[in-house]
Coordinates of all heavy atoms in Angstrom, one line a residue:
M1 N -32.3 -13.5 -52.9 CA -32.0 -12.2 -53.5 C -33.3 -11.4 -53.6 O -34.4 -12.0 -53.9 CB -31.4 -12.5 -54.9 CG -31.0 -11.2 -55.5 SD -30.3 -11.5 -57.2 CE -28.7 -12.2 -56.8
S2 N -33.2 -10.1 -53.4 CA -34.4 -9.3 -53.5 C -35.0 -9.4 -55.0 O -34.2 -9.4 -55.9 CB -33.9 -7.8 -53.2 OG -34.9 -7.0 -53.6
S3 N -36.3 -9.3 -55.0 CA -36.9 -9.3 -56.4 C -36.9 -7.9 -57.0 O -37.1 -7.7 -58.1 CB -38.3 -9.8 -56.3 OG -39.1 -9.0 -55.4
N4 N -36.6 -6.8 -56.1 CA -36.5 -5.5 -56.7 C -35.0 -5.2 -57.0 O -34.2 -5.0 -56.2 CB -36.9 -4.5 -55.6 CG -36.7 -3.0 -56.1 OD1 -36.4 -2.8 -57.3 ND2 -36.9 -2.1 -55.3
Q5 N -34.7 -5.3 -58.3 CA -33.3 -5.2 -58.7 C -33.0 -3.9 -59.5 O -32.0 -3.8 -60.2 CB -32.9 -6.4 -59.6 CG -33.1 -7.7 -58.8 CD -32.7 -8.9 -59.6 OE1 -32.9 -8.9 -60.8 NE2 -32.3 -9.9 -58.9
S6 N -33.9 -2.9 -59.3 CA -33.8 -1.7 -60.0 C -32.5 -0.9 -59.7 O -32.0 -0.1 -60.4 CB -35.0 -0.8 -59.9 OG -35.2 -0.6 -58.4
N7 N -31.9 -1.2 -58.5 CA -30.7 -0.5 -58.1 C -29.4 -1.2 -58.4 O -28.3 -0.8 -58.1 CB -30.8 -0.3 -56.5 CG -30.8 -1.7 -55.8 OD1 -31.2 -2.6 -56.4 ND2 -30.5 -1.6 -54.6
V8 N -29.6 -2.4 -59.1 CA -28.3 -3.1 -59.5 C -27.7 -2.5 -60.7 O -28.4 -2.0 -61.7 CB -28.8 -4.6 -59.8 CG1 -27.6 -5.5 -60.3 CG2 -29.3 -5.3 -58.6
D9 N -26.4 -2.5 -60.8 CA -25.7 -1.9 -61.9 C -26.0 -2.6 -63.2 O -26.2 -3.8 -63.3 CB -24.1 -2.2 -61.7 CG -23.5 -1.2 -60.7 OD1 -24.1 -0.1 -60.5 OD2 -22.4 -1.4 -60.2
F10 N -26.0 -1.8 -64.2 CA -26.2 -2.3 -65.6 C -24.8 -2.4 -66.2 O -23.8 -1.8 -65.8 CB -27.0 -1.2 -66.3 CG -28.4 -1.2 -66.1 CD1 -28.9 -0.6 -64.9 CD2 -29.3 -1.9 -66.9 CE1 -30.3 -0.6 -64.6 CE2 -30.7 -1.9 -66.6 CZ -31.1 -1.3 -65.4
F11 N -24.7 -3.3 -67.2 CA -23.5 -3.3 -68.0 C -24.0 -3.2 -69.5 O -25.1 -3.4 -69.8 CB -22.7 -4.7 -67.9 CG -23.6 -5.9 -68.1 CD1 -23.7 -6.4 -69.4 CD2 -24.2 -6.5 -67.0 CE1 -24.4 -7.6 -69.5 CE2 -24.9 -7.7 -67.2 CZ -25.1 -8.2 -68.5
V12 N -23.1 -2.7 -70.2 CA -23.4 -2.3 -71.7 C -22.5 -3.1 -72.6 O -21.3 -3.2 -72.4 CB -23.1 -0.8 -71.9 CG1 -23.4 -0.4 -73.3 CG2 -24.1 0.0 -71.0
I13 N -23.1 -3.7 -73.6 CA -22.4 -4.4 -74.7 C -22.7 -3.7 -76.0 O -23.9 -3.7 -76.4 CB -22.7 -5.9 -74.6 CG1 -22.3 -6.5 -73.3 CG2 -22.0 -6.6 -75.8 CD1 -22.9 -7.8 -73.0
K14 N -21.7 -3.3 -76.7 CA -21.9 -2.6 -78.1 C -21.2 -3.5 -79.1 O -19.9 -3.8 -79.0 CB -21.3 -1.3 -78.1 CG -21.5 -0.6 -79.5 CD -21.0 0.8 -79.4 CE -21.2 1.4 -80.9 NZ -20.7 2.7 -80.9
A15 N -22.0 -4.1 -80.0 CA -21.5 -5.0 -81.0 C -20.6 -4.2 -82.0 O -21.0 -3.1 -82.5 CB -22.6 -5.6 -81.8
L16 N -19.3 -4.7 -82.3 CA -18.4 -4.0 -83.2 C -18.4 -4.8 -84.5 O -17.6 -4.4 -85.4 CB -17.0 -3.9 -82.6 CG -17.0 -3.1 -81.3 CD1 -15.6 -3.0 -80.7 CD2 -17.5 -1.6 -81.5
E17 N -19.1 -5.8 -84.6 CA -19.3 -6.6 -85.9 C -20.7 -7.1 -85.9 O -21.4 -7.2 -84.8 CB -18.2 -7.6 -86.1 CG -18.3 -8.8 -85.0 CD -17.2 -9.8 -85.2 OE1 -16.4 -9.7 -86.0 OE2 -17.3 -10.7 -84.3
D18 N -21.2 -7.7 -87.0 CA -22.5 -8.3 -87.1 C -22.4 -9.7 -86.3 O -21.3 -10.3 -86.3 CB -22.8 -8.6 -88.5 CG -23.3 -7.3 -89.3 OD1 -23.6 -6.4 -88.5 OD2 -23.4 -7.4 -90.5
G19 N -23.4 -10.2 -85.8 CA -23.5 -11.5 -85.2 C -22.9 -11.7 -83.9 O -22.5 -12.8 -83.6
V20 N -22.7 -10.7 -83.1 CA -22.2 -10.8 -81.8 C -23.3 -11.5 -80.9 O -24.5 -11.2 -81.0 CB -21.8 -9.4 -81.1 CG1 -21.5 -9.6 -79.7 CG2 -20.6 -8.9 -81.9
N21 N -22.9 -12.5 -80.2 CA -23.9 -13.2 -79.3 C -23.6 -12.8 -77.8 O -22.4 -12.9 -77.3 CB -23.7 -14.7 -79.4 CG -24.3 -15.2 -80.6 OD1 -25.5 -15.1 -80.9 ND2 -23.6 -15.8 -81.5
V22 N -24.6 -12.5 -77.1 CA -24.6 -12.2 -75.7 C -25.4 -13.3 -75.0 O -26.6 -13.4 -75.2 CB -25.2 -10.8 -75.3 CG1 -25.2 -10.6 -73.8 CG2 -24.5 -9.7 -76.0
I23 N -24.7 -14.1 -74.3 CA -25.3 -15.4 -73.8 C -25.4 -15.3 -72.2 O -24.4 -15.1 -71.5 CB -24.4 -16.6 -74.2 CG1 -24.2 -16.6 -75.7 CG2 -25.0 -17.9 -73.6 CD1 -23.1 -17.5 -76.2
G24 N -26.6 -15.4 -71.7 CA -26.9 -15.4 -70.3 C -26.8 -16.8 -69.7 O -27.3 -17.7 -70.3
L25 N -26.0 -17.0 -68.6 CA -25.9 -18.2 -67.9 C -26.6 -18.2 -66.6 O -26.6 -17.3 -65.9 CB -24.4 -18.6 -67.7 CG -23.6 -19.0 -69.0 CD1 -23.0 -17.7 -69.6 CD2 -22.6 -19.9 -68.7
T26 N -27.2 -19.3 -66.3 CA -28.1 -19.5 -65.1 C -27.3 -19.4 -63.8 O -26.2 -19.8 -63.7 CB -28.9 -20.8 -65.1 OG1 -27.9 -21.9 -65.2 CG2 -29.8 -20.8 -66.3
R27 N -28.0 -18.8 -62.8 CA -27.5 -18.8 -61.5 C -27.9 -20.1 -60.8 O -28.9 -20.7 -61.1 CB -28.1 -17.6 -60.7 CG -27.5 -17.3 -59.3 CD -28.1 -16.1 -58.7 NE -27.9 -14.8 -59.4 CZ -26.7 -14.2 -59.4 NH1 -25.7 -14.7 -58.7 NH2 -26.5 -13.1 -60.1
G28 N -27.0 -20.5 -59.9 CA -27.3 -21.7 -59.1 C -26.3 -22.9 -59.5 O -25.4 -22.7 -60.2
T29 N -26.7 -24.0 -58.9 CA -25.7 -25.2 -59.1 C -25.7 -25.6 -60.6 O -24.7 -26.2 -61.0 CB -26.2 -26.4 -58.3 OG1 -27.6 -26.6 -58.5 CG2 -26.1 -26.1 -56.8
D30 N -26.8 -25.4 -61.3 CA -26.8 -25.8 -62.7 C -26.5 -24.6 -63.6 O -27.2 -23.6 -63.7 CB -28.3 -26.3 -63.0 CG -28.5 -26.7 -64.5 OD1 -27.5 -27.1 -65.0 OD2 -29.6 -26.6 -65.0
T31 N -25.3 -24.6 -64.2 CA -24.8 -23.5 -65.0 C -25.0 -23.9 -66.4 O -24.3 -24.7 -67.0 CB -23.4 -23.2 -64.7 OG1 -23.2 -23.0 -63.3 CG2 -22.9 -22.0 -65.4
R32 N -26.0 -23.2 -67.1 CA -26.3 -23.4 -68.4 C -26.7 -22.2 -69.2 O -27.1 -21.2 -68.5 CB -27.3 -24.5 -68.6 CG -28.6 -24.2 -68.0 CD -29.7 -25.3 -68.0 NE -30.8 -24.8 -67.2 CZ -31.7 -23.9 -67.4 NH1 -31.6 -23.3 -68.6 NH2 -32.6 -23.6 -66.5
F33 N -26.7 -22.2 -70.5 CA -27.2 -21.0 -71.3 C -28.6 -21.0 -71.1 O -29.3 -22.0 -71.2 CB -26.9 -21.2 -72.7 CG -25.4 -21.2 -73.1 CD1 -24.4 -21.1 -72.2 CD2 -25.1 -21.3 -74.5 CE1 -23.1 -21.0 -72.6 CE2 -23.7 -21.2 -74.9 CZ -22.8 -21.1 -73.9
H34 N -29.2 -19.8 -70.9 CA -30.7 -19.7 -70.9 C -31.2 -18.7 -71.9 O -32.4 -18.6 -72.2 CB -31.2 -19.3 -69.4 CG -30.8 -17.9 -69.0 ND1 -31.4 -16.8 -69.5 CD2 -29.9 -17.5 -68.1 CE1 -30.9 -15.7 -68.9 NE2 -29.9 -16.2 -68.1
H35 N -30.3 -17.8 -72.4 CA -30.7 -16.9 -73.4 C -29.6 -16.4 -74.3 O -28.5 -16.2 -73.7 CB -31.4 -15.6 -72.7 CG -31.9 -14.6 -73.6 ND1 -33.2 -14.6 -74.1 CD2 -31.3 -13.5 -74.3 CE1 -33.4 -13.6 -74.9 NE2 -32.3 -13.0 -75.1
T36 N -29.8 -16.4 -75.5 CA -28.8 -15.8 -76.5 C -29.5 -14.7 -77.2 O -30.5 -14.8 -77.9 CB -28.3 -16.9 -77.5 OG1 -27.8 -18.0 -76.8 CG2 -27.3 -16.4 -78.4
E37 N -28.8 -13.6 -77.1 CA -29.2 -12.4 -77.9 C -28.2 -12.1 -78.9 O -27.0 -12.0 -78.7 CB -29.3 -11.2 -76.8 CG -30.0 -10.0 -77.3 CD -31.5 -10.2 -77.6 OE1 -32.1 -11.0 -76.9 OE2 -32.1 -9.6 -78.6
K38 N -28.7 -12.0 -80.1 CA -27.7 -11.7 -81.3 C -27.8 -10.2 -81.5 O -28.9 -9.6 -81.8 CB -28.2 -12.5 -82.5 CG -27.1 -12.7 -83.5 CD -27.4 -13.8 -84.5 CE -26.1 -14.5 -84.9 NZ -26.4 -15.7 -85.7
L39 N -26.6 -9.6 -81.6 CA -26.5 -8.2 -82.0 C -25.8 -8.0 -83.2 O -24.7 -8.6 -83.4 CB -25.7 -7.4 -80.8 CG -26.2 -7.5 -79.4 CD1 -25.3 -6.7 -78.5 CD2 -27.7 -7.0 -79.3
D40 N -26.3 -7.1 -84.1 CA -25.5 -6.7 -85.3 C -24.7 -5.4 -85.0 O -24.9 -4.8 -84.0 CB -26.5 -6.5 -86.4 CG -27.0 -7.8 -87.0 OD1 -26.2 -8.9 -86.9 OD2 -28.0 -7.9 -87.5
K41 N -23.7 -5.2 -85.8 CA -22.8 -4.0 -85.7 C -23.5 -2.8 -85.3 O -24.5 -2.4 -86.0 CB -22.0 -3.8 -87.0 CG -20.9 -2.8 -86.8 CD -20.0 -2.8 -88.0 CE -18.8 -1.9 -87.8 NZ -17.8 -1.9 -88.8
G42 N -23.1 -2.1 -84.2 CA -23.6 -0.9 -83.7 C -24.8 -1.1 -82.8 O -25.1 -0.1 -82.1
E43 N -25.3 -2.2 -82.7 CA -26.4 -2.5 -81.7 C -25.9 -2.6 -80.3 O -24.7 -3.1 -80.1 CB -27.2 -3.7 -82.1 CG -28.0 -3.6 -83.4 CD -28.9 -4.7 -83.6 OE1 -28.5 -5.9 -83.3 OE2 -30.0 -4.6 -84.2
V44 N -26.7 -2.1 -79.4 CA -26.2 -2.1 -78.0 C -27.2 -2.8 -77.1 O -28.4 -2.8 -77.3 CB -26.2 -0.6 -77.5 CG1 -26.1 -0.4 -76.1 CG2 -25.1 0.2 -78.3
M45 N -26.7 -3.6 -76.2 CA -27.5 -4.2 -75.2 C -27.2 -3.7 -73.8 O -26.0 -3.6 -73.5 CB -27.3 -5.8 -75.2 CG -28.2 -6.6 -74.2 SD -28.2 -8.3 -74.7 CE -29.1 -9.0 -73.2
I46 N -28.1 -3.3 -73.1 CA -28.0 -2.8 -71.7 C -28.7 -3.8 -70.8 O -29.9 -4.1 -71.0 CB -28.6 -1.4 -71.5 CG1 -28.0 -0.5 -72.6 CG2 -28.4 -0.9 -70.2 CD1 -28.8 0.8 -72.8
A47 N -27.9 -4.4 -69.9 CA -28.5 -5.5 -69.0 C -27.9 -5.5 -67.6 O -27.0 -4.7 -67.3 CB -28.2 -6.9 -69.7
Q48 N -28.5 -6.4 -66.8 CA -28.1 -6.6 -65.4 C -27.8 -8.0 -65.2 O -28.4 -8.9 -65.8 CB -29.2 -6.1 -64.5 CG -29.5 -4.6 -64.5 CD -30.7 -4.3 -63.8 OE1 -31.8 -4.8 -64.1 NE2 -30.6 -3.6 -62.7
F49 N -27.1 -8.3 -64.1 CA -27.1 -9.6 -63.5 C -28.3 -9.7 -62.6 O -28.6 -8.7 -61.9 CB -25.8 -9.8 -62.7 CG -24.6 -9.9 -63.6 CD1 -23.7 -8.9 -63.8 CD2 -24.4 -11.1 -64.4 CE1 -22.6 -9.0 -64.6 CE2 -23.3 -11.2 -65.2 CZ -22.4 -10.2 -65.4
T50 N -29.0 -10.8 -62.6 CA -30.3 -10.9 -62.0 C -30.3 -12.2 -61.1 O -29.3 -13.0 -61.1 CB -31.4 -11.0 -63.0 OG1 -31.3 -12.2 -63.7 CG2 -31.4 -9.9 -64.0
E51 N -31.4 -12.4 -60.6 CA -31.8 -13.7 -59.9 C -31.6 -14.9 -60.8 O -31.2 -16.0 -60.3 CB -33.2 -13.6 -59.4 CG -33.8 -14.7 -58.6 CD -35.3 -14.4 -58.4 OE1 -35.8 -13.4 -58.7 OE2 -35.9 -15.4 -57.9
H52 N -31.8 -14.7 -62.1 CA -31.7 -15.8 -63.0 C -30.4 -15.9 -63.8 O -30.1 -16.9 -64.4 CB -32.8 -15.7 -64.0 CG -34.2 -15.7 -63.4 ND1 -34.8 -16.7 -62.8 CD2 -35.1 -14.6 -63.4 CE1 -35.9 -16.3 -62.3 NE2 -36.1 -15.0 -62.6
T53 N -29.6 -14.8 -63.8 CA -28.4 -14.6 -64.7 C -27.2 -14.4 -63.7 O -27.2 -13.3 -63.1 CB -28.6 -13.6 -65.6 OG1 -29.7 -13.8 -66.4 CG2 -27.4 -13.5 -66.6
S54 N -26.3 -15.3 -63.7 CA -25.1 -15.0 -62.8 C -23.9 -14.7 -63.6 O -22.8 -14.2 -63.1 CB -24.8 -16.2 -61.9 OG -24.4 -17.3 -62.6
A55 N -23.9 -15.0 -64.9 CA -22.7 -14.8 -65.7 C -23.2 -14.6 -67.2 O -24.3 -15.0 -67.6 CB -21.8 -16.1 -65.7
V56 N -22.3 -13.9 -67.9 CA -22.6 -13.6 -69.3 C -21.4 -13.9 -70.1 O -20.3 -13.6 -69.8 CB -23.0 -12.1 -69.4 CG1 -23.1 -11.7 -70.9 CG2 -24.3 -11.8 -68.7
K57 N -21.6 -14.6 -71.2 CA -20.6 -14.8 -72.2 C -20.8 -14.0 -73.5 O -21.9 -14.0 -73.9 CB -20.6 -16.4 -72.5 CG -19.6 -16.8 -73.6 CD -19.6 -18.3 -73.7 CE -18.7 -18.6 -74.9 NZ -18.5 -20.1 -75.0
V58 N -19.8 -13.3 -73.9 CA -19.8 -12.6 -75.2 C -19.0 -13.2 -76.2 O -17.8 -13.5 -76.0 CB -19.4 -11.1 -74.9 CG1 -19.5 -10.3 -76.2 CG2 -20.2 -10.4 -73.8
R59 N -19.6 -13.5 -77.3 CA -18.9 -14.2 -78.4 C -18.9 -13.2 -79.6 O -20.0 -12.9 -80.1 CB -19.7 -15.5 -78.8 CG -19.0 -16.3 -79.8 CD -19.7 -17.7 -80.0 NE -19.4 -18.7 -79.1 CZ -20.2 -19.7 -78.8 NH1 -21.4 -19.7 -79.2 NH2 -19.8 -20.6 -78.0
G60 N -17.8 -12.8 -80.1 CA -17.6 -11.9 -81.2 C -17.0 -10.6 -80.7 O -16.7 -10.4 -79.5
K61 N -16.8 -9.6 -81.6 CA -16.1 -8.4 -81.3 C -17.1 -7.4 -80.7 O -18.0 -6.9 -81.4 CB -15.5 -7.9 -82.7 CG -14.4 -7.0 -82.5 CD -13.8 -6.6 -83.9 CE -12.8 -5.6 -83.7 NZ -12.5 -4.8 -85.0
A62 N -16.8 -7.0 -79.5 CA -17.7 -6.1 -78.9 C -17.0 -5.2 -77.8 O -15.9 -5.5 -77.4 CB -18.8 -6.8 -78.1
L63 N -17.6 -4.0 -77.6 CA -17.1 -3.2 -76.5 C -18.0 -3.5 -75.3 O -19.2 -3.5 -75.3 CB -17.2 -1.7 -76.9 CG -17.0 -0.7 -75.7 CD1 -15.7 -0.8 -75.1 CD2 -17.2 0.7 -76.3
I64 N -17.4 -3.8 -74.1 CA -18.2 -4.2 -72.9 C -17.8 -3.1 -71.9 O -16.6 -3.0 -71.5 CB -17.7 -5.6 -72.5 CG1 -18.0 -6.6 -73.6 CG2 -18.5 -6.0 -71.2 CD1 -17.3 -7.9 -73.4
Q65 N -18.8 -2.5 -71.3 CA -18.6 -1.6 -70.2 C -19.3 -2.0 -69.0 O -20.5 -2.4 -69.0 CB -19.1 -0.2 -70.6 CG -18.4 0.5 -71.8 CD -19.1 1.8 -72.2 OE1 -20.3 1.9 -72.2 NE2 -18.3 2.8 -72.5
T66 N -18.5 -2.1 -67.8 CA -19.1 -2.5 -66.6 C -18.6 -1.6 -65.5 O -17.7 -0.7 -65.8 CB -18.7 -3.9 -66.2 OG1 -17.3 -3.9 -65.7 CG2 -18.7 -4.9 -67.3
S67 N -19.1 -1.7 -64.4 CA -18.7 -0.9 -63.3 C -17.2 -1.2 -62.8 O -16.6 -0.4 -62.2 CB -19.6 -1.0 -62.0 OG -19.6 -2.4 -61.7
H68 N -16.7 -2.2 -63.3 CA -15.4 -2.7 -63.1 C -14.4 -2.2 -64.1 O -13.2 -2.3 -64.0 CB -15.2 -4.2 -63.0 CG -16.0 -4.8 -61.9 ND1 -15.6 -4.7 -60.6 CD2 -17.3 -5.3 -61.8 CE1 -16.6 -5.3 -59.8 NE2 -17.6 -5.6 -60.6
G69 N -15.0 -1.6 -65.2 CA -14.1 -1.1 -66.2 C -14.6 -1.5 -67.6 O -15.7 -2.0 -67.7
E70 N -13.8 -1.2 -68.6 CA -14.2 -1.3 -70.0 C -13.2 -2.2 -70.7 O -12.0 -2.2 -70.5 CB -14.1 0.1 -70.6 CG -14.6 0.2 -72.0 CD -14.5 1.7 -72.5 OE1 -15.4 2.4 -72.0 OE2 -13.6 2.0 -73.2
L71 N -13.8 -3.1 -71.5 CA -12.8 -4.1 -72.2 C -13.4 -4.4 -73.5 O -14.6 -4.2 -73.8 CB -12.5 -5.3 -71.5 CG -13.7 -6.3 -71.1 CD1 -13.1 -7.7 -70.8 CD2 -14.5 -5.8 -70.0
Y72 N -12.6 -4.9 -74.4 CA -13.0 -5.4 -75.8 C -13.0 -6.9 -75.8 O -11.9 -7.5 -75.4 CB -12.2 -4.8 -76.9 CG -12.4 -3.3 -77.0 CD1 -11.6 -2.4 -76.3 CD2 -13.3 -2.8 -77.9 CE1 -11.7 -1.0 -76.5 CE2 -13.4 -1.4 -78.1 CZ -12.7 -0.6 -77.4 OH -12.8 0.8 -77.5
S73 N -14.0 -7.5 -76.3 CA -13.9 -9.0 -76.7 C -13.4 -9.0 -78.2 O -13.7 -8.0 -78.9 CB -15.2 -9.7 -76.5 OG -16.2 -9.0 -77.3
E74 N -12.9 -10.1 -78.5 CA -12.3 -10.2 -79.9 C -13.0 -11.2 -80.6 O -13.6 -12.2 -80.1 CB -10.8 -10.6 -79.8 CG -10.0 -9.3 -79.4 CD -8.6 -9.7 -78.9 OE1 -8.1 -10.8 -79.3 OE2 -8.1 -9.0 -78.0
S75 N -13.0 -11.1 -82.0 CA -13.5 -12.1 -82.8 C -12.6 -13.3 -82.8 O -11.5 -13.2 -82.7 CB -13.6 -11.5 -84.2 OG -14.4 -12.3 -85.1
S76 N -13.2 -14.5 -83.0 CA -12.5 -15.8 -83.0 C -11.7 -15.9 -84.3 O -10.8 -16.7 -84.4 CB -13.4 -17.0 -82.7 OG -14.4 -17.0 -83.6
E77 N -12.1 -15.2 -85.4 CA -11.4 -15.4 -86.7 C -10.1 -14.7 -86.7 O -9.9 -13.6 -86.1 CB -12.3 -14.7 -87.8 CG -13.5 -15.5 -88.1 CD -14.8 -14.6 -88.2 OE1 -14.8 -13.6 -88.8 OE2 -15.7 -15.1 -87.5
Ligands
LIG101 N1 -34.7 -13.1 -68.1 C1 -33.3 -12.8 -67.9 C2 -33.1 -12.4 -66.4 O1 -33.9 -11.8 -65.8 C3 -32.9 -11.6 -68.8 C4 -31.5 -11.2 -68.7 C5 -31.1 -10.4 -67.7 C6 -30.4 -11.6 -69.5 N2 -29.7 -10.2 -67.9 C7 -29.3 -10.9 -69.0 C8 -30.2 -12.4 -70.7 C9 -28.0 -11.0 -69.6 C10 -29.0 -12.5 -71.3 C11 -27.9 -11.8 -70.7 O2 -32.1 -12.9 -65.9

């Protein structure tokens, strides 16, 4: 994969409650968590899929916007 990823789409996650976790999962044969970012209500994370990140798990209530559309994750409670 190219190391210049400035042209790759961004996705946006807006926390709708405190303690939303945005978890990055590694690319490659070994799929594991490599980063957890905790967002409080109203906080926004803008990120990309990269050479190191092939998937993202969102835990908690959030608005997620991607080039494929917009969706809400729900709280487990
Ligand atoms: N160092 C990570 C990477 O370059 C940072 C990152 C990018 C990330 N996108 C992410 C972390 C999404 C968590 C979720 O891949």
Side-chain angles (χ1 to χ4, degrees):
M1 186 181 287
S2 165
S3 59
N4 178 7
Q5 298 179 332
S6 54
N7 59 341
V8 175
D9 278 344
F10 285 78
F11 55 89
V12 175
I13 298 167
K14 180 178 181 181
L16 300 178
E17 65 180 1
D18 286 345
V20 170
N21 284 300
V22 180
I23 304 164
L25 289 91
T26 54
R27 189 176 295 283
T29 50
D30 179 27
T31 305
R32 59 182 170 74
F33 292 4
H34 67 75
H35 183 90
T36 301
E37 193 66 32
K38 199 165 216 171
L39 304 180
D40 284 332
K41 189 172 182 173
E43 290 185 325
V44 169
M45 182 167 172
I46 303 165
Q48 293 169 296
F49 290 103
T50 70
E51 184 184 350
H52 304 292
T53 306
S54 67
V56 170
K57 174 173 176 172
V58 178
R59 187 179 272 155
K61 200 175 171 200
L63 168 61
I64 302 161
Q65 294 177 319
T66 76
S67 56
H68 299 279
E70 182 176 287
L71 67 159
Y72 290 89
S73 59
E74 287 162 27
S75 193
S76 54
E77 289 130 51

